[in-house]
Amino acid sequence: QQQQQQQQQQQQKSTRVKNVWKYCSTCNIFRPPRTKHCDICKNCVCVFDHHCPWTGNCIGLRNHTVFLRFLLGLTVYSVFVFIFCVMVLLDDMGSIPGLYPMEKFTKAVVLYPINTCILIISFFVTAGMIPFLSYHLYLTAVGMTSYEYIKENCMDAQHGSQHSLSDVDSEPFITKAFIWTSNIYHKICRCQKLPESKLDYLQTVVSAEDYIHSYAVPSAL
């Protein structure tokens, strides 16, 4: 009974977190659930994940799929470059005469500095991209965003409790694995139609004087 009560409380917390509409005093709108105002973009972003400094915009509902594909492609490319550079280095070591492998390795590094630089760069890029991609694939599988994940951990640290925004925590592992795999497939592999943006970038820009005069009360004849 206690476990059932705890599960009901967790579901109530997750439902309350997901269904809250908040008012944004900057944009003067009521933000839909899972929406956050970005101080850098100066806009409310639906299903806000994070503000990416590498792409120069926010990652949200309309571009999260493209962002995951970008991470996946960059990770595969960096792994390919790293493996290719290692193969080239081994081939260079085989063409250098010597008795000891360490001596061949040193000569190959000195004789082919460009390959060595690319190898070092691709190693660090691969070492950073694999954990980053794994982290975002995990969030996609459980149906959370980076902002929600960080916020949840902060709430756990402050209140000393454990709760989750995911609705499948109480399911068996096989069911959870199927749901997680399905979430990743639908997010990355399926071609879904993007929802329309709420921002009108093609609207006509008018000056402040024209705007005031357009709403001015006409004088009496």
Side-chain angles (χ1 to χ4, degrees), residues 17-18 31-53 55-64 67 135-136 139-140 143-152 165 187:
V17 170
K18 289 182 179 180
R31 297 183 301 202
R34 307 181 71 186
T35 302
K36 182 182 180 297
H37 183 84
C38 178
D39 296 332
I40 301 177
C41 295
K42 308 299 182 183
N43 285 314
C44 287
V45 182
C46 189
V47 194
F48 177 82
D49 190 89
H50 69 285
H51 183 88
C52 181
T55 59
N57 58 357
C58 285
I59 307 301
L61 177 64
R62 303 186 71 249
N63 60 352
H64 191 254
F67 178 73
Y135 169 71
H136 278 279
L139 294 179
T140 303
M144 297 176 63
T145 62
S146 301
Y147 176 75
E148 292 171 346
Y149 182 78
I150 296 173
K151 186 176 180 180
E152 181 186 8
L165 297 176
K187 178 64 71 172

Side-chain angles (χ1 to χ4, degrees), residues 125-141:
V125 172
T126 304
M129 288 304 304
I130 290 178
F132 192 60
L133 176 63
S134 303
Y135 169 71
H136 278 279
L137 289 179
Y138 166 74
L139 294 179
T140 303

Side-chain angles (χ1 to χ4, degrees), residues 152-172:
E152 181 186 8
N153 290 338
C154 293
M155 292 173 62
D156 291 342
Q158 291 178 359
H159 301 285
S161 59
Q162 293 183 355
H163 62 276
S164 177
L165 297 176
S166 179
D167 297 331
V168 298
D169 289 339
S170 59
E171 300 291 338

Side-chain angles (χ1 to χ4, degrees), residues 70-90:
F70 169 72
L71 293 182
L72 182 61
L74 183 58
T75 304
V76 173
Y77 177 73
S78 60
V79 170
F80 171 77
V81 172
F82 176 74
I83 295 176
F84 183 79
C85 290
V86 171
M87 294 175 61
V88 172
L89 181 62
L90 294 177

